[in-house]
Amino acid sequence: MANRSMTAQFNMPMRHRRPAVLAGLAIAVALVMPAADAAAKQARPARVVEATAPREAGEPIMAIVSIKSQQVTFYDADGWIARAPVSSGVAGRETPAGVFAVLEKDKDHRSTMYDDAWMPNMQRITWNGVALHGGPLPGYAASHGCVRMPYGFAEKQFDKTRIGMRIIISPIDAVPVELSHPALLVPKAEALAAAPGRAETLTREATEAARVADETKKAAASAAREAKPLAAGLRKLQSLKARADAELISADTALAAAKTDQARTRAEDAKQKAAARAAELGAQFETARSDATSKLDASTAAKDAAKAAETRKATTAREASDARLAVEPVSIYISRATQKLYVRRNTHKPAPDGGGEVFDSSIEVPVTIRDPDKPIGTHVFTAMARNETGLRWSAVTIDHGDDARNALDRISIPQEVLDRVAPTALPRSSIVISDEPLSSETNYRTEFVAVLSNQPQGGFITRKPTAPATDLMASSDDGDDDGFSSFFQRGWDPQPGNTRRRGGQNNAPVQRGWWQ
């Protein structure tokens, strides 16, 4: 009966059957909707709210932006201190995931590309326009590649951060985990204690050496000016003396050939005059040669002294620079892609083009990585504070290959690098290990910029790269940028694309062509 009834129902004309079908669908939807709503609520992530740690906060050491959860968390030496929701880049202009640092701060920044849009409390992390700043937060990704934070929150953090502070943008929810490992830098108490005094002493010596070099350079130039005309005078006297000697010989020959007393008298008179002239010019030449020799020797000595002073100036300047850098946190980047280790420290010298500060990059060496064809991941190790053994370290992993501890096990840092940086390693020092090469945005006025090539980078790629060093031209950067003029450090050799080796395979470069 039930089958016949259902058959009859579907055999009814459409105008009679539609109400029954709609009624059935309504009943089905009513039954399904509560379960669907429950599933949706369960799958939807909890809304991020602004929060402050219930304790006295120290100076922030790092900030971690989670693209997945659309939130940023700031950390001091003892843990998180503040968090807030963010809006990262929309599809096609995604905020790049990777490792960055604060490069420049601008309290009242305005965009040159988006109708003078206000981007208050801007903290730049790349020179091609990616930054953290205050902005509207609709509750989802909405920017052109920057990280928007609540206006009030951005203002609070702006006043607390410093140039060089680590910014980690992670595709996943990453948090610092305390870690100890023999490969992490261990400072020496005596070196730390001596470092400030040594920096002061060597800086003073370098200043004095520069002063001496300047004075000896001026003395050498003055001696050279005095000696320069002596050579021409000597050549002239030598020529006159040679002519007088020739005349004396000619007079002597004429005297020997004289046949008459009158001729003999004239020849003797000519010979006496020639002899007197030759003797006079000979005496002048010898006096001038003696004077010239003395002054030429003095010029040569002054020149040699100037060279020695310049050498000492360069040596003491290098030693003073190393000593001053020793009292700064050190950052080390180890790339599996390039098999190299890079060291950077902030010199706190303003960049010559007026944007940011100059970072020392004098150490770049090959590094040994065990199983170099095996992914190692991207891990950021940060010295959070001093402890009884030296430094307390944390690890943040944002791209899985190996785990953080195994990644350290696979690295052999050259001893000469350890000897230069480890004895005076300070809190805020860091070691970054990654499969990635350094981004082409890493230049003389950045710490390290490295982006994950297996994550979307629309907001990074659509911006113009930093201009080459030789151009010295203003760059009107796309997106949330201000168009600061910039140039690469001479000799910096960016990697040809953000190529990544996974299991021995090279992925296609994501950033190809930026520097061509």
Side-chain angles (χ1 to χ4, degrees):
M1 287 294 292
N3 291 340
R4 284 200 300 273
S5 176
M6 188 175 291
T7 303
Q9 187 182 43
F10 279 95
N11 285 334
M12 286 192 296
M14 180 61 69
R15 65 178 180 273
H16 298 299
R17 190 172 61 195
R18 185 177 298 155
V21 172
L22 293 176
L25 288 173
I27 294 171
V29 169
L31 291 173
V32 170
M33 280 188 65
D37 284 345
K41 289 179 180 177
Q42 186 176 8
R44 188 180 300 129
R47 183 181 178 185
V48 178
V49 296
E50 189 174 331
T52 302
R55 61 179 176 83
E56 185 176 350
E59 186 179 0
I61 292 177
M62 74 174 79
I64 302 178
V65 176
S66 171
I67 295 176
K68 177 183 177 182
S69 297
Q70 291 291 284
Q71 78 170 5
V72 60
T73 306
F74 285 76
Y75 295 86
D76 68 3
D78 297 316
W80 77 275
I81 52 176
R83 65 168 53 100
V86 301
S87 280
S88 61
V90 298
R93 289 184 176 269
E94 298 89 351
T95 301
V99 181
F100 308 88
V102 175
L103 305 177
E104 183 186 44
K105 299 171 66 175
D106 186 356
K107 189 75 174 172
D108 191 28
H109 183 72
R110 291 190 176 270
S111 172
T112 58
M113 298 300 295
Y114 283 87
D115 300 323
D116 202 37
W118 188 40
M119 298 172 181
N121 299 293
M122 185 273 290
Q123 301 190 55
R124 182 187 298 280
I125 61 175
T126 75
W127 288 109
N128 73 353
V130 181
L132 280 66
H133 61 77
L137 272 66
Y140 48 82
S143 80
H144 289 87
C146 286
V147 176
R148 296 179 188 168
M149 302 181 291
Y151 286 108
F153 183 86
E155 183 175 12
K156 291 177 185 176
Q157 304 313 313
F158 183 91
D159 294 333
K160 298 175 182 177
T161 60
R162 64 166 77 172
I163 299 296
M165 191 190 84
R166 174 72 64 219
I167 304 294
I168 301 171
I169 300 180
S170 174
I172 59 177
D173 294 336
V175 295
V177 176
E178 193 163 321
L179 180 74
S180 60
H181 192 281
L184 298 172
L185 306 179
V186 178
K188 296 179 180 178
E190 60 275 15
L192 284 172
R198 185 170 185 270
E200 183 178 349
T201 299
L202 289 176
T203 298
R204 189 166 54 249
E205 290 179 0
T207 301
E208 176 62 16
R211 185 192 65 78
V212 171
D214 185 56
E215 289 183 356
T216 54
K217 183 178 180 180
K218 290 178 180 178
S222 177
R225 282 194 301 271
E226 290 181 10
K228 187 174 182 180
L230 295 178
L234 276 177
R235 285 194 297 271
K236 183 177 180 180
L237 283 173
Q238 189 175 29
S239 176
L240 291 173
K241 181 179 179 298
R243 186 183 304 171
D245 289 341
E247 289 176 355
L248 179 59
I249 293 172
S250 177
D252 192 52
T253 302
L255 178 60
K259 300 297 184 181
T260 66
D261 291 341
Q262 186 177 7
R264 190 175 297 108
T265 299
R266 286 197 303 269
E268 285 179 350
D269 184 56
K271 179 180 178 181
Q272 287 176 1
K273 290 180 179 179
R277 177 67 173 163
E280 181 184 359
L281 289 172
Q284 291 180 13
F285 177 75
E286 290 301 326
T287 300
R289 183 166 63 176
S290 177
D291 186 39
T293 299
S294 176
K295 290 185 177 180
L296 287 171
D297 288 345
S299 176
T300 301
K303 186 177 180 181
D304 291 342
K307 287 182 178 179
E310 281 295 321
T311 299
R312 175 160 174 74
K313 175 186 174 181
T315 300
T316 55
R318 184 172 59 253
E319 290 174 347
S321 176
D322 287 346
R324 288 191 296 268
L325 290 173
V327 297
E328 293 292 327
V330 62
S331 296
I332 296 175
Y333 189 89
I334 299 171
S335 168
R336 186 176 69 90
T338 63
Q339 303 284 296
K340 284 187 176 182
L341 178 150
Y342 311 84
V343 176
R344 295 218 156 191
R345 285 175 289 194
N346 195 350
T347 67
H348 298 293
K349 295 177 181 177
D353 55 352
E357 298 176 347
V358 175
F359 283 76
D360 177 78
S361 58
S362 56
I363 302 177
E364 178 181 325
V365 296
V367 68
T368 301
I369 302 176
R370 180 164 47 83
D371 300 326
D373 292 328
K374 177 185 175 184
I376 203 167
T378 296
H379 315 275
V380 181
F381 304 91
T382 306
M384 305 300 287
R386 290 189 174 95
N387 63 12
E388 62 280 359
T389 59
L391 292 170
R392 174 165 54 84
W393 290 81
S394 72
V396 177
T397 296
I398 64 172
D399 187 24
H400 295 288
D402 246 331
D403 64 31
R405 187 174 297 277
N406 287 341
L408 285 171
D409 287 339
R410 291 170 58 187
I411 303 297
S412 296
I413 298 179
Q415 188 60 47
E416 60 268 25
V417 174
L418 292 174
D419 291 342
R420 288 184 65 177
V421 304
T424 58
L426 298 167
R428 296 178 175 272
S429 295
S430 62
I431 299 175
V432 181
I433 299 175
S434 181
D435 291 302
E436 306 293 351
L438 287 171
S439 164
S440 62
E441 275 297 302
T442 301
N443 60 62
Y444 75 103
R445 55 181 187 155
T446 71
E447 194 229 37
F448 296 120
V449 179
V451 294
L452 302 187
S453 59
N454 60 357
Q455 297 295 322
Q457 304 169 29
F460 194 56
I461 295 174
T462 54
R463 287 169 160 77
K464 293 181 180 180
T466 311
T470 53
D471 286 353
L472 287 176
M473 56 186 289
S475 61
S476 181
D477 300 342
D478 199 3
D480 305 326
D481 179 63
D482 61 0
F484 271 110
S485 63
S486 55
F487 55 90
F488 280 109
Q489 182 180 21
R490 295 183 185 276
W492 172 251
D493 184 17
Q495 296 301 319
N498 205 19
T499 308
R500 182 173 195 180
R501 298 201 294 177
R502 288 266 192 199
Q505 300 297 317
N506 288 339
N507 291 349
V510 177
Q511 299 161 287
R512 184 189 304 116
W514 283 23
W515 46 86
Q516 295 175 349

